[in-house]
């Protein structure tokens, strides 16, 4: 579909979904966002749903300002995927051992490594820039620096919620490795700190929603936020790269006879800020629950733990600020999902997938998410599908 345009206070709201299907809370958030004095455009992805401050599935373009809540608290959260030389014929009938080995290699939930991972010992991992990245830790917000040891030990860990590691098959039977995570606790600490700082600033006192507080260009507060933001985005990218290297190591060992090889890794953020130019203007574009889909850009759009995911290539649609959805998107809150579904429902909805099927992940039941096929159909003018994947193993945080 093409987008539907709704009137906004300062800019039109371009929606790649039926506005009638969007819950009232998310619609009000979008209207609130469109009142910001610095806004130059607002695009809404088909996986749109209510978030804190800014709506999940929104792409906000502003000039001379950035809203930390429009990035979200998991700065740099995103996806990585890689195609392997394995095929379905190489897989054992029982995949429980493989899931166990993945869980042993990659800490989940609030877990962390006993000692920081040495990237120099990881097969194929480029350590270029690694030392400089950690040296810049001394420049982040002083109130968060005491987290350095934890940040180091959480590098290469999954986290909780909707973060996952998956072993997938495409429609031709080729095996893909895929994972979803972000900047872990250090990113959240930085996000919470700066959202709080922005709310105190005088120019934000008259906003319709103080959670939409912004930093203004050429101010010390903006400079501090940008420094911490870009560091956390880099942390998230390294985190996924280390996890992928650990994942590949598990696969090499478990399928030693197959001598597994890997194609180049595809990686993309979906909670981040980028400096981009549109209509002759230099803008700060925040994507909260959206990926960049410039012409030829590879991206990853996951469904739920019982459906499937898509590897895509961007079509470069400027109306969406070269963006696309980051996934299926929730259609019910976590608490609503826990009230609605039982462990039996979860087991039925994840039939054929080697994964947790206990009460701890009922809120991630596929029924809590929008149908990924419909989401993909609504953004045919934003991306083209390269591969459709179906998970056979899913490790949840």
């Amino acid at each position: 579909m093409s987008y539907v345009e709704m009137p906004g206070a300062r800019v039109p709201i371009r929606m790649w979904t039926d506005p009638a299907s969007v819950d009232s809370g998310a619609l009000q958030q979008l209207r609130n966002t469109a009142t910001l004095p610095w806004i130059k455009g607002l695009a809404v992805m088909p996986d749109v749903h209510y978030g804190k401050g800014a709506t999940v599935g929104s792409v906000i373009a502003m000039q001379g300002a950035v809203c930390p809540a429009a990035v979200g608290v998991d700065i740099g959260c995103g996806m990585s995927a890689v195609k392997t030389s394995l095929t379905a014929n190489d897989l054992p009938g029982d995949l429980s051992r493989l899931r166990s080995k993945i869980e042993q290699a990659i800490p989940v939930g609030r877990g962390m490594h006993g000692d920081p991972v040495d990237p120099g010992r990881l097969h194929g991992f480029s350590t270029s820039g690694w030392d400089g990245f950690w040296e810049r830790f001394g420049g982040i917000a002083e109130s968060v620096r005491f987290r350095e040891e934890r940040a180091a030990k959480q590098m290469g860990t999954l986290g909780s919620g909707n973060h996952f590691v998956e072993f997938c098959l495409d429609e031709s039977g080729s095996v893909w490795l895929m994972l979803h995570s972000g900047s872990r606790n250090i990113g959240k600490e930085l996000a919470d700190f700066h959202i709080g700082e922005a709310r105190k600033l005088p120019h934000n006192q008259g906003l319709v929603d103080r959670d939409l507080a912004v930093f203004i260009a050429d101010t010390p507060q903006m400079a501090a936020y940008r420094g911490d933001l870009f560091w956390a985005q880099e942390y998230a990218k390294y985190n996924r790269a280390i996890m992928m290297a650990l994942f590949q190591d598990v696969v090499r060992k478990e399928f030693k006879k197959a001598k597994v090889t890997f194609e180049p890794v595809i990686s993309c953020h979906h909670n981040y800020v980028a400096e981009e130019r549109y209509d002759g203007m230099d803008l700060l574009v925040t994507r909260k629950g959206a990926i960049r889909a410039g012409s030829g850009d590879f991206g990853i759009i996951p469904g739920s733990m019982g459906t499937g995911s898509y590897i895509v290539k961007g079509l470069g649609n400027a109306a969406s600020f070269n963006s696309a959805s980051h996934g299926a998107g929730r259609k019910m809150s976590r608490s609503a999902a826990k009230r609605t579904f039982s462990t039996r429902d979860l087991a039925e909805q994840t039939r054929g997938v080697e994964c947790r099927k206990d009460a701890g992940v009922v809120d991630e039941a596929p029924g809590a998410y929008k149908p990924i096929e419909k989401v993909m159909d609504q953004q045919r003018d934003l991306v083209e599908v390269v591969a459709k994947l179906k998970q056979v193993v899913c490790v949840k945080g």
Side-chain angles (χ1 to χ4, degrees):
M1 64 173 286
S2 185
Y3 63 86
V4 176
E5 194 167 282
M6 289 176 54
R10 294 180 180 272
V11 294
I13 304 170
R14 300 170 184 162
M15 303 188 69
W16 271 261
T17 190
D18 179 3
S21 69
V22 182
D23 70 85
S24 59
L27 282 174
Q28 187 57 54
Q29 283 187 322
L30 294 169
R31 295 189 187 100
N32 291 345
T33 302
T35 68
L36 294 173
W38 311 271
I39 194 165
K40 297 299 179 182
L42 176 55
V44 183
M45 301 297 100
D47 58 344
V48 58
H49 58 280
Y50 184 85
K52 179 173 175 56
T55 321
V56 179
S58 63
V59 182
I60 304 168
M62 290 198 284
Q63 190 170 42
V66 67
C67 170
V71 180
V73 295
D74 192 356
I75 298 171
C77 187
M79 301 284 303
S80 293
V82 62
K83 186 177 182 180
T84 80
S85 59
L86 291 172
T87 69
N89 295 330
D90 295 310
L91 307 188
D94 183 356
L95 292 167
S96 59
R97 173 185 163 93
L98 177 61
R99 176 162 77 98
S100 178
K101 292 295 184 180
I102 296 168
E103 290 170 343
Q104 290 173 29
I106 301 173
V108 303
R110 295 186 177 182
M112 61 186 80
H113 294 282
D115 294 302
V117 175
D118 178 359
R121 303 178 72 174
L122 296 176
H123 188 282
F125 185 92
S126 173
T127 58
S128 175
W130 179 258
D131 291 341
F133 163 73
W134 279 111
E135 287 169 3
R136 293 198 301 279
F137 188 92
I140 69 170
E142 185 175 357
S143 65
V144 181
R145 284 181 216 157
F146 72 100
R147 297 286 191 190
E148 182 170 14
E149 182 179 2
R150 185 173 183 180
K153 290 182 177 181
Q154 283 194 325
M155 178 68 82
T157 67
L158 186 63
S160 56
N162 62 352
H163 293 163
F164 62 79
V165 178
E166 289 185 340
F167 192 87
C168 308
L169 296 173
D170 67 18
E171 292 179 307
S172 69
S174 293
V175 169
W176 288 69
L177 313 184
M178 185 166 66
L179 56 85
H180 170 211
S181 191
S183 53
R184 304 297 284 110
N185 184 257
I186 193 68
K188 180 183 184 303
E189 292 272 350
L190 288 169
D192 287 341
F193 170 76
H194 286 290
I195 289 171
E197 291 297 291
R199 286 170 59 91
K200 301 173 188 175
L201 297 173
H203 61 261
N204 290 318
Q205 302 312 302
L207 298 181
V208 65
D209 182 353
R210 291 272 299 285
D211 281 333
L212 291 173
V214 307
F215 293 117
I216 302 295
D218 302 320
T219 63
Q221 295 89 350
M222 171 69 108
Y225 177 61
R226 283 169 64 100
D228 289 356
L229 169 77
F230 291 131
W231 184 88
Q233 288 180 183
E234 196 171 356
Y235 181 103
K237 189 173 182 178
Y238 273 128
N239 184 43
R240 289 194 297 274
I242 286 179
M243 276 193 290
M244 185 58 79
L246 294 170
F247 193 4
Q248 289 178 348
D249 188 52
V250 169
V251 170
R252 285 190 189 93
K253 290 175 180 176
E254 290 300 296
F255 298 92
K256 190 175 296 184
K257 290 182 180 179
K259 294 182 171 55
V260 188
T261 59
F262 304 91
E263 294 189 2
V265 175
I266 298 167
S267 184
C268 59
H269 289 321
H270 54 226
N271 283 6
Y272 76 113
V273 177
E275 300 170 334
E276 297 178 4
R277 189 171 179 83
Y278 295 95
D279 298 326
M281 295 182 289
D282 291 320
L283 303 176
L284 287 167
V285 179
T286 55
R287 294 182 175 91
K288 182 178 182 179
I291 62 172
R292 178 170 170 82
S295 181
D297 288 343
F298 281 97
I300 307 161
I301 303 177
S304 64
M305 63 190 286
T307 54
S309 301
Y310 291 84
I311 306 298
V312 299
K313 189 181 289 187
L315 296 176
N317 190 325
S320 71
F321 298 101
N322 292 325
S323 304
S325 79
H326 82 313
R330 298 191 72 93
K331 68 179 181 183
M332 63 176 70
S333 68
R334 294 189 180 280
S335 57
K338 289 177 181 178
R339 292 193 302 269
T340 304
F341 301 116
S342 65
T343 53
R344 181 177 295 180
D345 295 324
L346 176 65
E348 180 62 31
Q349 292 174 26
T350 58
R351 186 190 298 270
V353 181
E354 173 58 45
C355 64
R356 289 176 60 187
K357 301 177 192 286
D358 57 79
V361 291
V362 164
D363 56 345
E364 281 294 300
Y369 285 82
K370 298 177 183 179
I372 185 63
E373 293 80 8
K374 182 175 181 181
V375 168
M376 295 304 298
D377 186 60
Q378 290 175 317
Q379 53 187 342
R380 293 192 309 271
D381 61 336
L382 304 182
V383 294
E384 62 175 317
V385 174
V386 174
K388 181 179 180 180
L389 312 183
K390 176 69 174 72
Q391 67 273 75
V392 291
V393 177
C394 177
V395 172
K396 275 284 184 183

